[in-house]
Amino acid sequence: MDEKQVNPSSQVQVDQDYQADFVPKVHTVGQVTLIIGALLMFVPGIVLYFGMGYRDIPFSAVLAFAVFYLPLCAPNQLTEHLRYYPMMGAATTYISYLAGTGTTLRLPVAQSCAAASKSDLFSARAQILVIVGEFVAVIVNNLIVLLVIILGGKIVEWIPDAVRRAFSYITVVVFGYLLVMNLKQSGQGDVMKGIKRLGWPLVVAVAGHVIFRKLLASVPFIANYSMLFIVFFALAIFIVKQWIEDKKQAENQ
C-alpha cells in the first residue's frame, strides 16, 4: 500500500499497538535468546577440555584470563548498545548480537531498510521492514559462511589479489556510506542541508574523539575505556544543550 493512502489515524493506532504489545515481546525474546547464546559459547571449550582431553592449559589459567578480560569487555558492551540502538532499534540490536557482524553488516542493512521505508526508524513500518531485512541478511550471511567452510581455501585462491587487498577498506567504505546516507536523509535529499542539521552531533563526535583518543590517550584508564568516555561525553553535551533549550522555551512562554 502506498504511504500516501494510509489513514493517519490508523497509522497512529498501529504505532501505539506496536509500542504497547510488540516491543515488550521483542525485549523478552531478545533477552532469552542472548542468554542462551552466551551459554552456548562455552560449549566448544567445555567439550575440548573435558570431552577431548585438551588440558595443556590449566583450568585455573582460563579462569584467571576470564576474570582479567571481563572488566575490559563490560564497558564495550555498554557503549555498543548505546551506539547501535539509536541507529538500529531494539529487535535489530538483539539480532546483531546473536548473529554477529553488527558493525559491518547489520548496521548498514538496518539503515538501508529504514531509509527505504521513508518512515521514522522507531515507527512500526520502519522496524518491521528492518527486522525482515535483517532476517534475510542473516540467512544470506550464514549461507556464504557455509559455502566458505565447505570449499575452504579454494575461494580465496579464486579471488584476484587486487580484490583481496580491497577487502581492507570495507569498514571505511561502510561507514562512509552510512555517514552520507544519514546526512542525505537528515537533509531530505540534500547532503549539505544534512550537514547543517547534524552540525552539532558531528562537532561533538569529532571533539570527543580528539579529546579521548588523541589528547588523553596516554592516560591508561582513559585509553582502555575511551569509547565509554566518548559516549558519555556526547550524552552530557546533548543533555546540557536540551536543558538550555527547554529553559529558553519556558522563559519565552
Side-chain angles (χ1 to χ4, degrees):
M1 181 181 293
D2 185 54
E3 187 178 8
K4 295 181 181 179
Q5 298 177 353
V6 177
N7 189 335
S9 60
S10 64
Q11 185 63 49
V12 171
Q13 184 62 46
V14 169
D15 286 333
Q16 290 176 349
D17 293 341
Y18 167 80
Q19 294 294 336
D21 186 51
F22 188 77
V23 171
K25 293 180 180 178
V26 164
H27 288 295
T28 300
V29 175
Q31 291 169 6
V32 171
T33 53
L34 285 185
I35 291 173
I36 294 174
L39 294 175
L40 289 176
M41 288 193 303
F42 294 97
V43 171
I46 293 173
V47 172
L48 288 172
Y49 191 86
F50 294 103
M52 302 181 67
Y54 289 94
R55 302 180 183 179
D56 295 337
I57 300 176
F59 194 70
S60 59
V62 176
L63 290 178
F65 177 77
V67 172
F68 167 76
Y69 194 65
L70 183 61
L72 299 178
C73 290
N76 188 52
Q77 292 298 309
L78 176 61
T79 57
E80 285 193 355
H81 285 95
L82 291 173
R83 284 184 292 163
Y84 288 161
Y85 176 75
M87 297 183 288
M88 299 170 66
T92 311
T93 302
Y94 286 122
I95 294 172
S96 174
Y97 274 85
L98 188 63
T101 61
T103 303
T104 56
L105 182 58
R106 312 298 172 219
L107 180 57
V109 171
Q111 292 277 286
S112 298
C113 291
S117 71
K118 297 181 180 179
S119 303
D120 180 73
L121 173 63
F122 294 98
S123 66
R125 176 188 178 95
Q127 279 296 300
I128 295 302
L129 186 58
V130 167
I131 292 171
V132 173
E134 292 293 350
F135 178 73
V136 174
V138 170
I139 294 176
V140 173
N141 182 215
N142 288 336
L143 289 176
I144 294 174
V145 171
L146 180 62
L147 183 64
V148 172
I149 293 174
I150 293 174
L151 295 179
K154 292 183 180 179
I155 291 182
V156 179
E157 296 175 0
W158 296 338
I159 298 176
D161 291 338
V163 176
R164 285 202 297 268
R165 289 195 299 270
F167 285 161
S168 60
Y169 299 100
I170 287 179
T171 303
V172 177
V173 171
V174 167
F175 279 101
Y177 161 75
L178 291 176
L179 177 60
V180 172
M181 187 174 66
N182 277 286
L183 291 174
K184 188 175 181 180
Q185 190 173 3
S186 298
Q188 298 179 344
D190 191 326
V191 175
M192 294 306 299
K193 289 182 179 179
I195 293 175
K196 292 179 181 178
R197 290 191 62 184
L198 293 179
W200 258 99
L202 289 175
V203 170
V204 171
V206 173
H209 179 83
V210 171
I211 293 172
F212 297 105
R213 288 286 180 89
K214 301 297 182 183
L215 299 180
L216 302 178
S218 59
V219 181
F221 183 75
I222 293 178
N224 292 334
Y225 305 113
S226 59
M227 184 53 66
L228 186 65
F229 280 100
I230 292 173
V231 170
F232 281 106
F233 171 77
L235 287 174
I237 292 295
F238 284 108
I239 289 173
V240 172
K241 181 175 180 291
Q242 188 63 45
W243 178 77
I244 294 173
E245 290 178 354
D246 292 343
K247 188 176 180 180
K248 289 182 178 178
Q249 186 176 3
E251 291 175 352
N252 293 333
Q253 292 177 351

